[in-house]
Amino acid sequence: MNSLGLDASSTGESRRAEPTLRPDDFISAIPDPPSPWKELMGSFKHFIFPYGSFSAFKKQPVSGHFLSAMKRLFPILVWLRNYDLKLFRRDLLAGLTLASLSIPQSIGYANLAKLDPQYGLYTSFVPPLIYAAMGSSREIAIGPVAVVSMLLSSLVQKVIDPYENPSGYRKLVFTSTFFAGLFQLIFGFLRLGFIIDFLSHAAIVGFMGGAAIMIGLQQLKGLLGLPHFTNKTDAVSVVRAVLSSLGHDQWRPYSFFIGSTFLILILVARYLVKRNKKYFWVAAIAPLISVILSTIIVFLSKAEEHGVVTKACLLEYLKVKYVKGGINPSSITQLSFGRPYVSEAAKIGLVSAIIALTEAIAVGRSFAAINGYHLDGNTEMVAMGTTNIVGSMTSCYVATGSFSRTAVNFSAGCRTAMSNVVMSFTVLLSMVLLTRFLYYTPISILASIILSSLPGLIDIAETIRIFKIDKLDFLACIGAFIGVIFASVEIGLLVAVSISLGKILLGSTRPRIDILGQVPGTNFFCNTKQYPFALKLQGVVVIRINTAFLCFFNARYTEERIMRWVEDGELTGGKCLQALVLDMSNITSIDSNGIVTLEELHKRLASLKIQASSQGPNGGSCLQLALANPGWEVIHKLKLAKVVDKVGGEWIFLSVAEAVDACFSTKKTMDCNPNLEKLMKS
């Protein structure tokens, strides 16, 4: 290595090679980037027209237009053409197995949502049929889930009490479901899938864990047979209510015994499945068997007379005389878009839409990756949105993909979404034949089914992994967990999103700025801290700004940081500095503040040149600013703002290596590096 900090190989042929194009030649040849409106319309056309461009779509015959749109909106038209009896056998077995788990879970989740049991079954009938026609996932099982059921009950009951006004409560749930579907549909058509990403993976892990504990605490009411319970959802209020009931001897020992017994049986069945995967069906049918056996026991022994709380007892307490059976009734007339609750329904719908989509797409993509196919999030949003809009009109509440039921569906060998259809009609059969049977179902059994599904929501191993990887992500995880447990669902989500956004803002407003060095023997430049063997160049400093947006909230900081380094001599150790190269490859967008910053940086560097020449140490030396590899939108805006003219088109380059070559080719840079000319000629 020589006195310049360069070895001979790094200043050989690459330094003698002359570019075939002048820098300002390619700048003038760059076309204008598409406008934001064109990009938005392009995204919309990409969803509607599967051929990738509207012009290709127009070349099709008229009949092809309709067929292409239908295939895009209804994937069932594609896979149903190749469907055969062999595939149906696998889907039939998977659908029946799925129904055996779905029926008791749906009843339990309806109870969690503070709705009558038939509404959970309704939500397991219509939504799976809609999704089977419009969804693109082969494995995902659609229906009510614990987290969304808990979310709806915790938010809606703050507006309308489910016990004092069950009809008004039900109307608000259906209206919220309609808005949830509407938001999901809008997200899909406008390709706004990135909205879900505001809930980071760490936030979801914390939220799910907190929600599992909150749900578990609330199920103590059913497990203990408590007649009165708090409507609050925070852990302190729930524990206080449980202790108060126990202190006044209001709990029902028989209810607790029945619920605990079958809870143990369900957990043992799941443990056996973990030991031997081929017995997966044992865990799948355990909840259904528990419901059937416990209901028969209560019916034959008349256990409700001995303190066992059944659905009939609860309905009598609520002054409801019967549970409607049969197919889903229409609920169009129950959708309420007038004051004073429409704004609350929209807010609840938005939160529910995001949570439901997050879970569904995460589940769908996980199993799609296992089977080696891609799942389009925007297509799933359209399918989920349509599913919930139709569901809100047929007495259903918010449906989404369930991880536990999807895992059962996958383990049972499903091949297509037909398993959802089989499950749906099996649920319909149960609604027609078994609705009256629900009168004698112990509430403690429904609580035990929900409790048995909660351990899978608490992922301690993933929480530890997050802590090891990123401490700020761990903070978001713990924030969501604590917020959900000790405050409410919305507070937990708000805390998690705030921490995640704070992390983004911290990184965006204070972007990392790296000093780059040249890898010996190559034209590659990399971070000298990450790669200590990279060689710094005397007289020329290469800086990379690690941000995608150079804009109003980080432009001034970037300018001051660079100028402080230059003025204090930190970049060169106090030695002569002749050129500053900005690697702009990471910057994809720039606003007026960013442009002004580049102009000010150019002026301040020029003023340092004048000051240096007047003070004498570097008399006549030139401190030049060079820009390397600016993005399409960036160079377009620099041209519009005439920054290219001010900096000089000859000082804007396609790569860092070309910029460094140009800097070392100037006479003034050689004045600062007396040995460079000899090296270039060698």
Side-chain angles (χ1 to χ4, degrees):
M1 188 174 70
N2 52 58
S3 60
L4 294 173
L6 295 171
D7 61 347
S9 60
S10 66
T11 59
E13 294 183 6
S14 64
R15 296 283 184 253
R16 294 196 297 268
E18 292 293 335
T20 56
L21 284 176
R22 293 173 54 198
D24 47 352
D25 290 336
F26 74 79
I27 292 175
S28 60
I30 296 176
D32 294 340
S35 64
W37 172 251
K38 286 185 178 181
E39 290 185 351
L40 179 61
M41 291 304 298
S43 297
F44 181 75
K45 289 177 182 178
H46 176 73
F47 176 81
I48 296 297
F49 308 112
Y51 289 90
S53 68
F54 185 63
S55 58
F57 184 82
K58 290 193 297 184
K59 294 178 181 179
Q60 292 183 288
V62 176
S63 58
H65 292 181
F66 178 77
L67 184 60
S68 297
M70 288 298 99
K71 287 181 178 179
R72 185 70 170 173
L73 289 173
F74 300 97
I76 191 174
L77 298 177
V78 178
W79 59 262
L80 197 60
R81 296 173 59 184
N82 300 319
Y83 199 72
D84 55 25
L85 185 60
K86 183 179 180 180
L87 292 174
F88 178 70
R89 289 197 192 104
R90 302 297 298 268
D91 288 336
L92 177 64
L93 176 61
L96 293 175
T97 306
L98 186 59
S100 67
L101 175 64
S102 193
I103 291 171
Q105 275 195 353
S106 299
I107 296 171
Y109 293 155
N111 183 60
L112 182 60
K114 294 182 172 56
L115 294 169
D116 291 335
Q118 68 266 25
Y119 292 104
L121 296 174
Y122 293 159
T123 308
S124 291
F125 171 55
V126 172
L129 292 178
I130 304 299
Y131 182 83
M134 300 187 67
S136 57
S137 173
R138 305 169 194 166
E139 300 84 13
I140 195 169
I142 301 299
V145 297
V147 174
V148 176
S149 300
M150 180 272 298
L151 180 68
L152 279 175
S153 66
S154 64
L155 296 179
V156 176
Q157 71 178 355
K158 293 181 179 180
V159 183
I160 299 178
D161 190 286
Y163 302 112
E164 295 181 358
N165 187 6
S167 176
Y169 178 87
R170 195 162 51 247
K171 289 181 179 179
L172 186 55
V173 168
F174 293 153
T175 307
S176 300
T177 301
F178 176 85
F179 278 110
L182 183 62
F183 282 122
Q184 291 171 339
L185 196 64
I186 293 173
F187 294 162
F189 275 118
L190 296 183
R191 306 187 70 79
L192 299 179
F194 67 89
I195 292 178
I196 296 177
D197 296 332
F198 280 107
L199 279 177
S200 65
H201 171 69
I204 293 173
V205 171
F207 170 76
M208 297 289 277
I213 293 178
M214 180 192 293
I215 293 170
L217 290 174
Q218 290 182 329
Q219 295 316 300
L220 293 177
K221 173 188 177 182
L223 191 65
L224 297 172
L226 303 178
H228 304 287
F229 207 67
T230 179
N231 286 332
K232 297 181 179 180
T233 57
D234 62 283
V236 175
S237 299
V238 173
V239 171
R240 185 183 293 120
V242 171
L243 294 178
S244 175
S245 299
L246 292 177
H248 291 83
D249 199 25
Q250 294 180 352
W251 68 296
R252 312 290 178 90
Y254 288 107
S255 284
F256 178 73
F257 175 75
I258 291 177
S260 300
T261 301
F262 283 99
L263 174 61
I264 293 172
L265 290 177
I266 294 173
L267 293 177
V268 168
R270 294 191 176 184
Y271 174 75
L272 293 176
V273 171
K274 287 184 178 180
R275 298 291 300 272
N276 195 332
K277 296 293 184 182
K278 68 179 182 179
Y279 296 118
F280 69 90
W281 55 271
V282 175
I285 66 172
L288 183 62
I289 297 299
S290 299
V291 170
I292 294 174
L293 288 179
S294 63
T295 304
I296 292 175
I297 291 172
V298 170
F299 176 76
L300 295 178
S301 64
K302 297 182 179 181
E304 71 273 16
E305 297 178 2
H306 301 282
V308 176
V309 180
T310 64
K311 199 67 185 177
C313 301
L314 187 60
L315 294 174
E316 182 179 353
Y317 172 75
L318 297 176
K319 300 181 179 180
V320 178
K321 295 183 178 180
Y322 61 93
V323 179
K324 292 183 179 180
I327 198 170
N328 299 35
S330 172
S331 58
I332 296 178
T333 57
Q334 297 190 54
L335 298 178
S336 178
F337 301 108
R339 294 183 177 181
Y341 300 131
V342 63
S343 60
E344 294 295 332
K347 294 176 185 177
I348 297 171
L350 178 59
V351 175
S352 302
I354 294 175
I355 296 298
L357 282 176
T358 300
E359 182 169 357
I361 293 178
V363 171
R365 284 179 174 171
S366 299
F367 286 93
I370 294 174
N371 286 329
Y373 68 93
H374 174 69
L375 196 70
D376 183 17
N378 293 294
T379 302
E380 289 297 292
M381 288 180 183
V382 173
M384 288 291 176
T386 306
T387 293
N388 283 313
I389 289 176
V390 176
S392 69
M393 301 177 183
T394 53
S395 301
C396 305
Y397 68 96
V398 180
T400 187
S402 165
F403 186 85
S404 60
R405 292 198 296 273
T406 301
V408 169
N409 195 28
F410 174 76
S411 300
C414 75
R415 289 294 179 266
T416 68
M418 186 62 72
S419 60
N420 271 291
V421 178
V422 174
M423 182 268 293
S424 179
F425 281 102
T426 306
V427 171
L428 174 62
L429 187 64
S430 73
M431 288 193 294
V432 173
L433 301 178
L434 304 178
T435 304
R436 301 293 297 181
F437 193 60
L438 298 176
Y439 268 121
Y440 301 98
T441 301
I443 298 299
S444 58
I445 284 296
L446 305 183
S448 67
I449 291 173
I450 295 174
L451 287 169
S452 68
S453 66
L454 297 183
L457 297 178
I458 304 175
D459 197 339
I460 298 177
E462 184 63 18
T463 304
I464 295 174
R465 192 172 81 97
I466 291 171
F467 175 77
K468 292 179 179 179
I469 295 173
D470 193 315
K471 300 302 184 289
L472 286 178
D473 271 354
F474 177 74
L475 186 61
C477 176
I478 294 300
F481 180 81
I482 295 176
V484 170
I485 291 180
F486 293 104
S488 62
V489 171
E490 55 268 36
I491 294 297
L493 290 175
L494 181 61
V495 170
V497 172
S498 299
I499 295 175
S500 299
L501 289 178
K503 177 184 175 183
I504 295 173
L505 290 176
L506 181 62
S508 300
T509 57
R510 295 293 183 268
R512 193 177 73 251
I513 302 175
D514 297 331
I515 300 175
L516 306 185
Q518 187 175 23
V519 178
T522 71
N523 282 332
F524 296 110
F525 289 78
C526 55
N527 185 358
T528 54
K529 290 184 178 180
Q530 183 178 1
Y531 302 99
F533 57 81
L535 306 174
K536 293 183 179 180
L537 311 176
Q538 290 188 15
V540 177
V541 173
V542 183
I543 291 178
R544 181 174 60 205
I545 304 172
N546 292 290
T547 182
F549 303 99
L550 186 60
C551 50
F552 64 95
F553 52 74
N554 60 18
R556 182 61 60 185
Y557 167 81
T558 303
E559 176 190 349
E560 294 300 329
R561 179 79 177 275
I562 294 174
M563 289 307 304
R564 187 167 62 249
W565 280 353
V566 172
E567 292 171 349
D568 295 345
E570 295 181 23
L571 297 176
T572 59
K575 297 181 180 179
C576 176
L577 176 62
Q578 294 294 327
L580 179 67
V581 178
L582 284 184
D583 179 6
M584 303 182 70
S585 55
N586 289 339
I587 302 175
T588 59
S589 182
I590 190 171
D591 68 354
S592 58
N593 291 76
I595 291 173
V596 170
T597 292
L598 291 179
E599 291 178 327
E600 289 295 321
L601 188 60
H602 176 64
K603 291 178 182 178
R604 293 177 69 175
L605 291 175
S607 67
L608 285 179
K609 175 195 69 174
I610 296 172
Q611 293 172 8
S613 62
S614 63
Q615 293 172 1
N618 295 325
S621 63
C622 177
L623 190 52
Q624 178 63 49
L625 175 65
L627 306 180
N629 195 20
W632 192 6
E633 180 182 335
V634 174
I635 193 64
H636 173 66
K637 291 185 177 181
L638 293 180
K639 287 162 60 178
L640 292 178
K642 300 189 182 303
V643 176
V644 172
D645 298 333
K646 296 176 182 178
V647 175
E650 69 276 11
W651 289 105
I652 299 179
F653 302 90
L654 286 173
S655 66
V656 173
E658 290 182 1
V660 172
D661 280 337
C663 292
F664 279 117
S665 297
T666 61
K667 183 179 184 302
K668 292 178 180 178
T669 306
M670 292 181 184
D671 292 339
C672 187
N673 300 271
N675 296 323
L676 179 61
E677 186 173 7
K678 295 179 181 179
L679 288 172
M680 292 181 64
K681 292 179 180 180
S682 62

